[in-house]
């Protein structure tokens, strides 16, 4: 009988380990898609001097279509409006963009860890001074 309990315990531990590996793989994939989206967005932003609303919408739509992210949970920070536009030759020419998305990790005994996945990029502007 002890052997049966040992096998059941072993199968339970192996099953939980496999679930953790699968979920970690999904989180890694989400991180890769987030980095692809932010890289594409920052490269499109340079001629404008900021991240336009159209670029922001494209990024959100890409993440919703590719990884089924919820659009309202995608948080964009940085040079994202016209008032913060960077001009070439000014003291600060860098266009910054940081995108985060909340991630919830369930661990043993019902504990929950909330740590967002995120990515950060910057580029110098190409917006002309005149």
């Amino acid at each position: 009988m002890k052997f049966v309990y040992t096998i059941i315990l072993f199968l339970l531990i192996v099953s939980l380990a496999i679930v953790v590996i699968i979920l970690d793989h999904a989180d890694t994939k989400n991180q890769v898609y987030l980095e692809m989206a932010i890289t594409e967005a920052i490269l499109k932003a340079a001629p404008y001097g900021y991240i336009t609303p159209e670029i922001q919408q494209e990024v959100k739509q890409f993440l919703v279509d590719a990884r089924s992210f919820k659009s309202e949970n995608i948080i964009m920070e940085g040079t994202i409006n016209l008032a913060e536009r960077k001009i070439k030759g000014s003291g600060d020419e860098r266009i910054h963009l940081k995108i985060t998305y909340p991630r919830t990790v369930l661990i043993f005994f019902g504990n929950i860890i909330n740590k967002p996945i995120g990515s950060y990029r910057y580029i110098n502007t190409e917006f002309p001074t005149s």
Side-chain angles (χ1 to χ4, degrees), residues 42-112:
I42 203 71
L43 290 173
K44 288 180 182 178
Y48 303 105
Y50 71 107
I51 310 295
T52 64
E54 293 82 20
I55 295 173
Q56 293 176 39
Q57 188 58 35
E58 285 178 20
V59 168
K60 286 185 178 184
Q61 192 60 42
F62 171 74
L63 294 172
V64 167
D65 293 343
R67 296 302 296 164
S68 300
F69 283 9
K70 293 182 182 174
S71 180
E72 61 272 4
N73 291 343
I74 299 171
I75 301 169
M76 293 189 184
E77 301 170 349
T79 314
I80 59 173
N81 60 34
L82 189 59
E84 298 173 345
R85 181 179 69 186
K86 306 298 180 179
I87 299 174
K88 189 173 184 176
S90 67
D92 182 15
E93 297 180 347
R94 288 185 173 177
I95 303 168
H96 302 272
L97 181 61
K98 180 179 180 181
I99 300 177
T100 56
Y101 188 78
R103 171 179 59 181
T104 302
V105 179
L106 302 174
I107 58 175
F108 295 113
F109 307 113
N111 289 334
I112 298 174

Side-chain angles (χ1 to χ4, degrees), residues 9-23 108:
L9 181 63
F10 173 75
L11 291 175
L12 178 67
I13 292 171
V14 169
S15 299
L16 290 174
I18 289 172
V19 167
V20 167
I21 290 169
I22 291 170
L23 291 177
F108 295 113

Side-chain angles (χ1 to χ4, degrees), residues 27 30-32 34-35 38 69 75 97-103 115-121:
D27 284 340
N30 285 342
Q31 180 72 33
V32 168
L34 194 64
E35 288 179 4
I38 197 169
F69 283 9
I75 301 169
L97 181 61
K98 180 179 180 181
I99 300 177
T100 56
Y101 188 78
R103 171 179 59 181
K115 40 188 250 194
I117 56 174
S119 189
Y120 173 79
R121 297 281 186 275

